[in-house]
Amino acid sequence: MKNNISLKSLIDIISFGYYSYPIINFLYLNINDISLKYYLLLLKSKWKKDYYLAIDYSKKTISTTTTTTILRELARFELVSLYNKVGKYDLAKKEINILKNNFDKLPSYARYLMVPGLNLLNKSYNITDNFKVYSDNYIENDLDKAILIYSKARDFIKEKEYSKAYKRFIEGFFLSKNFPHPTMICNGLNGAAWWIREVDKKKALVVADLLEYYVGYYFEDLPKIYNWFDTIFEVKKINNDITIFDISSIVIKLNKLNKVKIKKQFFHFIPDISSSTYNITNELKNYILKYVDLMVKKGIINSKSILKIINSKKISYTSRKPYAIKNELYKMYINKTFKENIIKFKKKNKIKIQELFFATYSSLIEKPYFTKSCILKLFFEGDKDKIIKYFSSNYEKMYFFNLMLSEFKVKEIEKRIMNPDDFEKIKPDVSPFFISRKKLIFNLLKNAKNFKEFILKYFELNEEEMRTFDMFLRNGVRYDIIWPIIPKVDGNLKSFALKYNITQKRVALGYYSFEDAERKLLDSIIENFVKI
């Protein structure tokens, strides 16, 4: 499709922001126009927060575009925003004055893309006096409406009218979801949860759980989502919600390369479900002495002693208790949830159990240690009693079992987030982050063929290959909306799609969500999957 893309279609695509990443990658490889290539590189650099490189590509787009005003002014619009991000306000004003002079020459579909951003820039930075851009019906776009509604919510926050701000954030969330625009979806839920916590912490917790679900559904990269996780963490903390351990674990594991500076509080809630002893800190010693005389041996206490105290004194979880108490209560929570999930598990059919296992395993950031031959035999045979026995042997396996069986009733929660009644009854028993990632795999494989071979091939992968392949599978679904163009696949990618009955569109979207070097690794993985 060399150069076979209209600027109107391009604008429709980039209106989704970062969510259009796979389409942008596909386009870049299938166009010759150098100005358009620069523009696509500008967008990718901006999304990676490499603002100075994005500025450079903006200038290159402007200087090389000779046949259309539209592309040049789209690049100038981005340049205005980029100059503001790096604090070069005088340069931003200069570019915006040029943009104003050319604005009437642009077709309405190009103006619609720019109007909300220009108005927000003016409101935030006062980049030019009395700046107004007129467009008769740009506000009809759901995303543009959401942007304006979020702006109104922030006005309410300034007046400390948090309930009114909450309603605006939730209204904007639904509009963003209709569009859909993942960043705006999560921004709305984040704003709602953060500010309503000031007046209604239980309501904030329900919205934070929903935010966690959508973060897992749409995003992978911690630097893009850390602030949302921070909101979820704080809301869980003030609600004394024991699943704060899950959030802390997720954040720490996602930050394996230390790309984000994580605040210290997260490290106070990292689960240690294999622990059998604890060091006796002054905090723990003083806490236990409130209940019993403490016999200290070499400054440690075993978990059985702590459990005895918890059970005899009927101690319940709060965020302020010493770590050893909280961690043992978390282990008890895992065990309790495991027993509840056994009942649900016994109602599942054999094929469903295999899908549950794979969807859960592929959703995890770090894989649990299971003996491959043992676990595969267990699930292919489908003997429920043997599976239950296997997963009852330790807390790590119980936790995995709980993830397999846990659900998150998204539609029910979305119906009720505007309703203040009975929020406590809506509560997931494990992290919604993993539940949404699990759902992506379910959606991908619901009509899959050769599933046993698929799983066997999967377990031949090494750790890096698994991580890449997991993301490829998730991205194939999370980016699957109606796009102006549909990426095509051929060769091994097409063979993979046909062999396992996964739509070629989803295979293409998953594939083009990666950059060149990552696609080379994916090529070798796919090649192995299509081998006979």
Side-chain angles (χ1 to χ4, degrees):
M1 56 156 284
K2 294 292 183 183
N3 292 327
N4 188 23
I5 177 73
S6 70
L7 286 175
K8 185 179 186 307
S9 293
L10 177 66
I11 287 170
D12 288 340
I13 290 165
I14 64 175
S15 64
F16 289 91
Y18 176 80
Y19 193 43
S20 62
Y21 203 91
I23 308 297
I24 297 300
N25 273 345
F26 176 75
L27 284 175
Y28 184 82
L29 295 172
N30 287 277
I31 56 172
N32 290 324
D33 187 300
I34 188 64
S35 301
L36 189 49
K37 278 183 173 286
Y38 283 144
Y39 182 69
L40 299 182
L41 290 171
L42 146 63
L43 295 176
K44 289 174 64 172
S45 301
K46 179 186 74 169
W47 294 331
K48 292 176 182 176
K49 298 189 185 299
D50 191 341
Y51 297 134
Y52 285 99
L53 183 59
I55 287 170
D56 185 46
Y57 283 128
S58 300
K59 292 176 179 177
K60 286 180 176 179
T61 307
I62 292 169
S63 65
T64 58
T65 302
T66 57
T67 59
T68 172
T69 305
I70 301 171
L71 187 61
R72 185 176 64 242
E73 298 312 311
L74 284 173
R76 198 183 312 280
F77 165 65
E78 297 292 350
L79 187 56
V80 171
S81 175
L82 290 163
Y83 275 145
N84 274 278
K85 287 182 185 295
V86 299
K88 296 187 177 182
Y89 304 113
D90 290 341
L91 291 175
K93 288 180 181 179
K94 177 182 175 182
E95 295 298 332
I96 207 167
N97 285 330
I98 299 172
L99 180 58
K100 282 174 64 181
N101 292 333
N102 293 329
F103 206 73
D104 290 342
K105 301 172 188 175
L106 299 175
S108 59
Y109 60 82
R111 293 200 301 268
Y112 296 165
L113 181 71
M114 301 182 199
V115 168
L118 289 171
N119 284 331
L120 271 183
L121 278 170
N122 184 55
K123 187 171 184 179
S124 301
Y125 299 106
N126 193 28
I127 48 182
T128 185
D129 295 334
N130 300 317
F131 174 63
K132 291 183 179 179
V133 183
Y134 296 97
S135 184
D136 292 338
N137 56 5
Y138 80 91
I139 200 170
E140 290 182 0
N141 179 297
D142 279 342
L143 185 62
D144 297 341
K145 286 181 182 179
I147 291 171
L148 295 175
I149 287 169
Y150 289 164
S151 180
K152 290 177 183 176
R154 287 186 282 272
D155 290 338
F156 283 125
I157 289 167
K158 291 175 185 176
E159 302 299 322
K160 296 187 176 181
E161 296 190 67
Y162 300 125
S163 293
K164 290 182 179 180
Y166 171 88
K167 289 180 180 178
R168 295 296 181 275
F169 279 125
I170 295 301
E171 187 180 348
F173 153 72
F174 281 115
L175 289 167
S176 300
K177 186 169 176 278
N178 289 340
F179 191 75
H181 193 290
T183 302
M184 293 288 286
I185 287 170
C186 292
N187 280 343
L189 292 172
N190 185 72
W194 182 256
W195 293 106
I196 200 63
R197 88 192 198 288
E198 300 280 353
V199 292
D200 191 335
K201 65 181 184 180
K202 290 180 181 178
K203 185 184 288 189
L205 181 59
V206 175
V207 180
D209 283 335
L210 191 59
L211 171 60
E212 187 181 344
Y213 177 88
Y214 279 112
V215 169
Y217 192 91
Y218 283 116
F219 295 94
E220 298 276 348
D221 194 15
L222 184 63
K224 290 184 174 67
I225 58 183
Y226 175 70
N227 287 338
W228 296 330
F229 273 130
D230 185 55
T231 292
I232 297 164
F233 177 91
E234 291 296 335
V235 170
K236 286 182 182 290
K237 186 180 176 186
I238 63 174
N239 276 280
N240 295 314
D241 188 306
I242 202 164
T243 61
I244 193 173
F245 277 89
D246 292 352
I247 283 295
S248 295
S249 178
I250 289 166
V251 170
I252 300 305
K253 288 175 180 177
L254 285 174
N255 200 38
K256 198 171 183 178
L257 299 177
N258 294 315
K259 290 182 179 180
V260 176
K261 185 177 181 181
I262 297 170
K263 69 183 184 184
K264 291 181 180 179
Q265 285 192 68
F266 278 94
F267 295 91
H268 298 159
F269 294 88
I270 299 174
D272 182 2
I273 54 181
S274 62
S275 61
S276 58
T277 62
Y278 299 91
N279 292 327
I280 300 177
T281 62
N282 287 333
E283 180 191 27
L284 179 58
K285 180 180 178 181
N286 292 334
Y287 183 85
I288 292 175
L289 284 173
K290 292 190 299 183
Y291 297 102
V292 295
D293 290 332
L294 181 63
M295 302 298 292
V296 179
K297 290 185 178 180
K298 297 183 180 179
I300 62 171
I301 185 169
N302 63 48
S303 58
K304 290 181 179 178
S305 298
I306 291 179
L307 279 174
K308 187 176 179 181
I309 296 168
I310 289 172
N311 289 324
S312 64
K313 302 302 178 181
K314 297 181 179 179
I315 296 172
S316 58
Y317 176 86
T318 65
S319 299
R320 292 181 177 274
K321 286 185 170 62
Y323 174 79
I325 303 294
K326 292 185 295 191
N327 194 57
E328 287 302 315
L329 285 165
Y330 179 66
K331 287 158 67 177
M332 290 172 66
Y333 176 78
I334 291 173
N335 190 31
K336 174 178 174 291
T337 307
F338 176 75
K339 291 175 181 176
E340 293 168 351
N341 279 325
I342 287 173
I343 299 169
K344 288 193 277 184
F345 180 72
K346 288 182 176 180
K347 298 177 183 178
K348 302 290 183 183
N349 64 43
K350 181 178 176 181
I351 300 300
K352 191 73 172 178
I353 290 170
Q354 293 174 8
E355 292 175 356
L356 279 170
F357 167 70
F358 179 75
T360 305
Y361 193 88
S362 63
S363 74
L364 295 177
I365 302 161
E366 293 181 0
K367 308 304 183 188
Y369 176 74
F370 297 142
T371 305
K372 184 172 73 172
S373 59
C374 175
I375 195 71
L376 292 180
K377 182 181 178 183
L378 205 60
F379 277 96
F380 287 138
E381 288 180 352
D383 187 313
K384 293 178 184 178
D385 290 332
K386 287 183 180 179
I387 292 172
I388 291 168
K389 183 179 179 181
Y390 178 84
F391 281 97
S392 64
S393 62
N394 60 51
Y395 287 106
E396 183 183 30
K397 290 175 181 174
M398 285 187 223
Y399 181 77
F400 184 92
F401 186 88
N402 291 340
L403 281 177
M404 282 201 303
L405 276 296
S406 295
E407 299 174 344
F408 189 71
K409 298 179 179 178
V410 181
K411 291 183 179 179
E412 178 65 19
I413 291 173
E414 288 179 349
K415 283 179 186 176
R416 299 176 64 184
I417 54 177
M418 291 297 287
N419 183 349
D421 297 329
D422 209 13
F423 271 87
E424 280 188 288
K425 288 189 178 180
I426 309 175
K427 187 75 191 76
D429 51 23
V430 297
S431 168
F433 176 84
F434 288 124
I435 295 175
S436 61
R437 283 158 67 107
K438 188 174 70 172
K439 182 179 178 180
L440 290 168
I441 303 301
F442 269 127
N443 287 344
L444 183 77
L445 300 176
K446 62 184 176 183
N447 296 314
K449 296 189 302 187
N450 301 311
F451 187 55
K452 183 176 180 178
E453 181 183 350
F454 184 90
I455 293 179
L456 291 173
K457 294 278 191 183
Y458 177 83
F459 275 93
E460 292 174 1
L461 302 177
N462 63 35
E463 184 180 345
E464 182 186 6
E465 289 170 335
M466 269 191 188
R467 186 166 54 249
T468 300
F469 191 68
D470 290 345
M471 198 183 305
F472 159 71
L473 296 178
R474 287 193 292 270
N475 285 350
V477 181
R478 60 166 53 115
Y479 291 112
D480 187 9
I481 62 170
I482 298 173
W483 295 101
I485 63 168
I486 300 176
K488 304 293 183 183
V489 293
D490 53 21
N492 282 340
L493 288 171
K494 186 173 182 178
S495 298
F496 176 85
L498 294 173
K499 181 175 182 178
Y500 298 107
N501 201 33
I502 299 170
T503 67
Q504 293 181 45
K505 178 186 176 185
R506 286 180 167 181
V507 170
L509 289 168
Y511 185 74
Y512 288 107
S513 67
F514 291 93
E515 295 294 347
D516 291 345
E518 297 164 315
R519 287 200 294 270
K520 288 179 181 178
L521 174 59
L522 198 50
D523 285 336
S524 66
I525 295 170
I526 296 296
E527 182 180 4
N528 184 55
F529 269 79
V530 298
K531 280 181 182 177
I532 298 174

